[in-house]
Amino acid sequence: MNDYTISDISIGMKESFFVSITDSMMHKFLDITSDENPLHLNEDFARQRGFNNKVVYGMLTASMISTLGGCYLPGRNCLIQGIEIKFVKPVYVGDVLEVIGEVSNVDYDLRYLEIKVTIKNQNDQKVLRGLLRTGVIDA
């Protein structure tokens, strides 16, 4: 886990990590949310609607933004204030995602960051883009 303070951060700074999407993650997300949409649970239903397989919950993919902020950039001193997301392509179980954050704005007085977020699959295809707004709560 990173421990960046506001003075450590500058525009253009980047952090990233990889995550493999598993069936177990899907089941845990279902248990937490009770989202029983068959697009996420039924392979035949998803294929009939033009997808390659069951579609991973978009918010499961987006939840990796919390990991980006809380563990990587800025890390332990993160207090998320807002997130904007755009789902670009579907994600499937077995996909390996790269979650990338790049600082696009810093307000040192307000201890505030904006981080451009990109999530790509193993084929280097963008599956999500977004903006993370966070405070940095270091002493």
Side-chain angles (χ1 to χ4, degrees):
M1 178 175 299
N2 289 328
D3 189 20
Y4 293 118
T5 64
I6 193 69
S7 62
D8 295 327
I9 296 170
S10 59
I11 292 175
M13 188 173 179
K14 283 187 177 182
E15 289 285 348
S16 65
F17 66 96
F18 290 89
V19 62
S20 297
I21 303 299
T22 65
D23 269 323
S24 175
M25 294 166 100
M26 289 287 287
H27 291 294
K28 289 175 183 177
F29 195 87
L30 171 62
D31 287 345
I32 291 167
T33 65
S34 300
D35 181 350
E36 296 179 341
N37 185 315
L39 189 62
H40 307 300
L41 305 174
N42 184 309
E43 183 177 340
D44 290 335
F45 182 89
R47 287 184 188 278
Q48 289 168 3
R49 279 141 185 89
F51 296 96
N52 296 339
N53 206 329
K54 297 178 289 187
V55 177
V56 169
Y57 295 99
M59 295 308 292
L60 174 58
T61 302
S63 72
M64 299 307 154
I65 298 172
S66 179
T67 304
L68 176 67
C71 296
Y72 292 91
L73 187 61
R76 151 181 111 102
N77 297 315
C78 176
L79 180 62
I80 293 176
Q81 297 174 353
I83 299 173
E84 292 178 22
I85 53 176
K86 171 75 173 164
F87 300 107
V88 180
K89 286 190 170 289
V91 173
Y92 302 102
V93 169
D95 281 355
V96 178
L97 304 180
E98 182 180 16
V99 182
I100 307 159
E102 180 178 354
V103 176
S104 58
N105 186 29
V106 182
D107 187 317
Y108 294 100
D109 294 328
L110 295 178
R111 307 167 79 78
Y112 170 84
L113 304 177
E114 290 182 348
I115 300 167
K116 177 183 164 189
V117 178
T118 305
I119 301 180
K120 296 179 180 181
N121 66 18
Q122 66 279 356
N123 300 316
D124 203 38
Q125 297 171 320
K126 207 179 278 189
V127 298
L128 181 149
R129 66 177 184 261
L131 184 67
L132 169 61
R133 293 182 174 97
T134 181
V136 182
I137 57 170
D138 56 296

